[in-house]
């Protein structure tokens, strides 16, 4: 068994590290089951692996599980060199030392933290063979992972990355308060325009440019106009089908103006066009030069 080659194809293997706190009042398993404690314990484990495996690559945590009284950490290795470095760190006691240091700091413990560890590959207890590095590598390589990474671990990894990004110094941005928009104006593409009632020229520009999208605009206007709710849009389409798209769009806006009176404002039409992603038509109506 030990003579089987491990270098053929991509090298992968799996090991489970079992952790149990020896410090009174600190139970890693209970902490991990707590929603707030879970992230801190995971961060301790992740930082320990980064220290002992020489960085972020070559391995991934697949699962952290209840192995009462231990907390089990299943790690998949995809690089034999990284796995070897981890085994050397584990054998020298560096993994335990790193765990204790990170736990004491992140858990803000008043006393020195101590931990018991055990490393297994399948049914093999690797602590019994740490003087035979090649044999340990062989056992890890023959213990292939049986699962993909847990979704819970994905979430914890993302939280850790978000925290890392958030801890970076952010440039100071001096924000200047924008003056309030007057009640008779509206904003479009960061510019302020004077609001007014729709004119015959607006209706013509809209009818010429909207094409088949007139129904979508009608439904957007219908969110705040009773005359365009329900079957009104389809009725207009049926009634003016023979006259073509220009007439259908013209009648839509005419119906809107007739129903809303003084409230048939330019801002409402521009907002509806924005909602339908017809910004170029809004620019045309507002006479914004490209």
């Amino acid at each position: 068994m030990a003579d089987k080659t491990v270098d053929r194809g991509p090298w992968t293997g799996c090991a489970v590290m079992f952790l149990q706190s020896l410090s009174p009042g600190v139970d890693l398993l209970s902490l991990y089951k707590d929603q707030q404690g879970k992230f801190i314990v995971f961060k301790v484990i992740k930082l320990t692996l980064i220290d002992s495996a020489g960085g972020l690559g070559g391995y991934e945590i697949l699962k952290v599980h209840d192995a009462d009284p231990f907390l089990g950490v299943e790690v998949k290795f995809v690089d034999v060199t990284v796995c070897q470095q981890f085994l050397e760190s584990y054998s020298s006691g560096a993994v335990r030392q790193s765990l204790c240091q990170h736990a004491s700091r992140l858990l803000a413990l008043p006393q020195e933290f101590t931990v018991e560890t055990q490393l297994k590959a399948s049914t093999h207890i690797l602590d019994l063979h740490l003087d035979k590095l090649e044999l340990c590598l062989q056992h890890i390589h023959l213990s292939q992972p049986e699962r993909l990474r847990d979704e819970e671990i994905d979430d914890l990894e993302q939280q850790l990355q978000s925290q890392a990004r958030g801890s970076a110094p952010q440039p100071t941005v001096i924000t200047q308060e924008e003056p309030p928009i007057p009640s008779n104006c509206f904003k479009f593409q960061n510019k302020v325009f004077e609001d007014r009632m729709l004119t015959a020229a607006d209706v013509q520009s809209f009818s010429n440019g909207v094409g088949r999208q007139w129904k979508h605009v009608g439904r957007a206007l219908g969110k705040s106009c009773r005359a365009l709710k329900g079957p009104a849009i389809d009725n207009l389409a049926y009634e003016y089908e023979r006259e073509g798209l220009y007439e259908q769009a013209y009648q839509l806006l005419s119906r809107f103006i007739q129903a809303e009176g003084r409230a048939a404002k330019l801002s409402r039409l521009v907002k509806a066009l924005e909602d339908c992603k017809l910004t170029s038509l809004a620019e045309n109506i507002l006479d914004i030069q490209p």
Side-chain angles (χ1 to χ4, degrees):
M1 177 83 68
D3 293 329
K4 185 183 288 187
T5 178
V6 298
D7 298 324
R8 199 170 44 198
W11 195 95
T12 59
C14 193
V16 182
M17 183 167 58
F18 295 93
L19 311 173
Q20 183 183 16
S21 166
L22 299 178
S23 297
V26 182
D27 185 344
L28 291 176
L29 185 56
S30 297
L31 270 171
Y32 192 77
K33 289 178 179 178
D34 175 72
Q35 200 55 43
Q36 287 185 328
K38 186 187 295 289
F39 176 71
I40 297 174
V41 173
F42 180 79
K43 187 174 181 179
V44 168
I45 295 166
K46 184 74 175 182
L47 291 173
T48 300
L49 283 171
I50 291 170
D51 291 345
S52 56
L56 289 165
Y59 65 91
E60 66 171 328
I61 300 171
L62 295 181
K63 184 178 178 65
V64 179
H65 62 271
D66 182 346
D68 195 16
F70 290 90
L71 184 69
V73 183
E74 187 173 345
V75 182
K76 174 186 176 182
F77 292 96
V78 294
D79 186 317
V80 66
T81 307
V82 171
C83 186
Q84 182 173 328
Q85 183 168 342
F86 171 77
L87 280 171
E88 289 170 350
S89 298
Y90 187 87
S91 176
S92 69
V95 169
R96 188 183 289 110
Q97 183 181 1
S98 182
L99 257 168
C100 292
Q101 287 175 348
H102 289 304
S104 294
R105 178 174 59 87
L106 293 173
L107 294 170
L109 300 176
Q111 77 278 10
E112 186 180 352
F113 180 75
T114 54
V115 65
E116 178 186 350
T117 64
Q118 188 182 82
L119 191 64
K120 292 182 74 174
S122 186
T123 57
H124 300 282
I125 300 173
L126 301 184
D127 301 72
L128 304 175
H129 310 289
L130 291 175
D131 57 332
K132 301 172 183 174
L133 189 62
E134 287 300 324
L135 179 62
C136 290
L137 282 170
Q138 186 74 28
H139 285 320
I140 290 173
H141 178 55
L142 294 175
S143 174
Q144 290 298 311
E146 298 176 353
R147 59 169 66 87
L148 297 173
R149 186 161 75 174
D150 267 14
E151 288 184 8
E152 180 181 70
I153 301 299
D154 282 331
D155 293 340
L156 289 166
E157 289 279 11
Q158 286 176 11
Q159 284 183 52
L160 204 55
Q161 289 172 18
S162 298
Q163 190 184 75
R165 286 194 296 267
S167 63
Q170 299 296 318
T172 304
V173 179
I174 301 172
T175 57
Q176 186 175 357
E177 285 191 18
E178 293 185 9
I181 300 171
S183 58
N184 64 331
C185 297
F186 67 95
K187 201 170 185 180
F188 173 71
Q189 294 184 342
N190 291 324
K191 294 180 181 177
V192 177
F193 295 88
E194 185 178 352
D195 206 0
R196 55 172 172 75
M197 287 181 62
L198 290 170
T199 65
D202 298 328
V203 176
Q204 189 171 9
S205 296
F206 172 78
S207 305
N208 275 321
V210 73
R212 295 183 181 278
Q213 299 297 315
W214 73 269
K215 279 188 177 183
H216 297 297
V217 180
R219 292 191 180 97
L221 288 170
K223 291 176 183 177
S224 60
C225 175
R226 287 189 177 183
L228 300 179
K229 290 186 184 294
I233 306 294
D234 291 328
N235 289 344
L236 279 172
Y238 178 77
E239 190 175 348
Y240 295 96
E241 183 179 11
R242 291 187 178 181
E243 282 81 352
L245 294 173
Y246 175 90
E247 189 62 28
Q248 289 170 329
Y250 185 92
Q251 292 298 330
L252 168 75
L253 219 48
S254 298
R255 184 77 55 91
F256 174 69
I257 294 169
Q258 184 180 2
E260 295 296 302
R262 290 182 175 274
K265 294 290 187 75
L266 178 62
S267 57
R268 292 174 69 182
L269 176 60
V270 169
K271 176 66 169 62
L273 291 170
E274 268 193 297
D275 291 346
C276 298
K277 297 181 170 53
L278 295 170
T279 51
S280 58
L281 180 54
E283 290 170 354
N284 184 37
I285 291 172
L286 291 169
D287 198 24
I288 299 174
Q289 299 301 320

